[in-house]
Amino acid sequence: MRQLLLLRHAKSSWDDPRLSDHARPLNARGRRAAMGMGNAMRDLGLSPDIVLVSSARRTLQTLEAISPIEGTPLIEPMDDLYLTTWTSLLDVLRGVRETARSVLLIGHNPGLHDLAMALAGAAAMAGDGPLVRRLAAAYPTGTLTEFAVALPWRQLEAGGGRLLRVLSPADLPGAEPGDASEATA
């Protein structure tokens, strides 16, 4: 069984209108939330072998804030993960080396949210379980989903993951009001 972790970047800053979208940094609340998510990941024993991270500044800063990651994973910043579709994200995951037991992908909405729902599968998404309802409702900044994957990475497809966890900064002790409010990229 393999583990797939999908993490949306933490809350970013819109303070400097001269910056390109790719260059936008995390804001202070985003940095705090990402650090909290890193602590939660360590507490839960989530330690990926490989981290695939969008080359955008806010995703790289999210990775920095959740670090250290136990076991010193291979980290691959990728331009192809920047604001792409769920099908493109799935193609990237299909290229992961088969010896990897756990992968963390840090990216952006809407592609990341769409990928999470696709991996859960249409049958699961039509269900009424609390995790599925939560996943279907939104994928706020800083949200982490965990999937168990039985197939080899190269065969990963829609419906190929079993949703195990949905965790957002708003779930953490000391969460700030609005930690689950950002629904845009």
Side-chain angles (χ1 to χ4, degrees):
M1 193 63 69
R2 291 165 178 75
Q3 177 186 61
L4 176 59
L5 305 168
L6 303 178
L7 178 65
R8 183 175 175 205
H9 66 80
K11 192 162 187 61
S12 59
S13 173
W14 294 88
D15 291 345
D16 188 346
R18 296 169 299 170
L19 289 177
S20 70
D21 182 73
H22 195 270
R24 284 191 300 113
L26 295 182
N27 66 20
R29 187 171 77 185
R31 282 189 296 279
R32 287 189 302 273
M35 289 173 33
M37 290 301 289
N39 290 334
M41 289 173 67
R42 283 185 288 284
D43 290 348
L44 293 167
L46 304 177
S47 55
D49 302 320
I50 296 176
V51 177
L52 305 173
V53 58
S54 162
S55 60
R57 185 175 179 191
R58 60 191 177 272
T59 52
L60 293 169
Q61 287 181 333
T62 297
L63 173 59
E64 182 180 308
I66 66 169
S67 295
I69 298 173
E70 214 170 295
T72 56
L74 173 66
I75 296 172
E76 295 185 41
M78 301 177 73
D79 291 336
D80 291 348
L81 299 180
Y82 176 65
L83 297 180
T84 193
T85 64
W86 76 268
T87 54
S88 293
L89 294 172
L90 186 61
D91 285 342
V92 168
L93 290 169
R94 287 179 181 143
V96 168
R97 61 183 165 91
E98 291 302 329
T99 56
R101 63 167 186 74
S102 178
V103 174
L104 168 61
L105 190 154
I106 305 174
H108 311 266
N109 270 2
L112 205 61
H113 187 200
D114 293 343
L115 175 63
M117 290 189 300
L119 288 172
M125 293 308 295
D128 195 33
L131 282 179
V132 170
R133 281 195 315 269
R134 185 159 183 209
L135 178 59
Y139 208 96
T141 52
T143 293
L144 174 79
T145 50
E146 179 185 1
F147 291 88
V149 176
L151 295 171
W153 295 115
R154 70 181 177 279
Q155 295 176 3
L156 188 60
E157 61 189 8
R162 183 167 45 93
L163 182 61
L164 301 177
R165 179 184 329 270
V166 178
L167 182 67
S168 74
D171 301 323
L172 303 177
E176 298 178 41
D179 275 348
S181 63
E182 186 180 328
T184 60

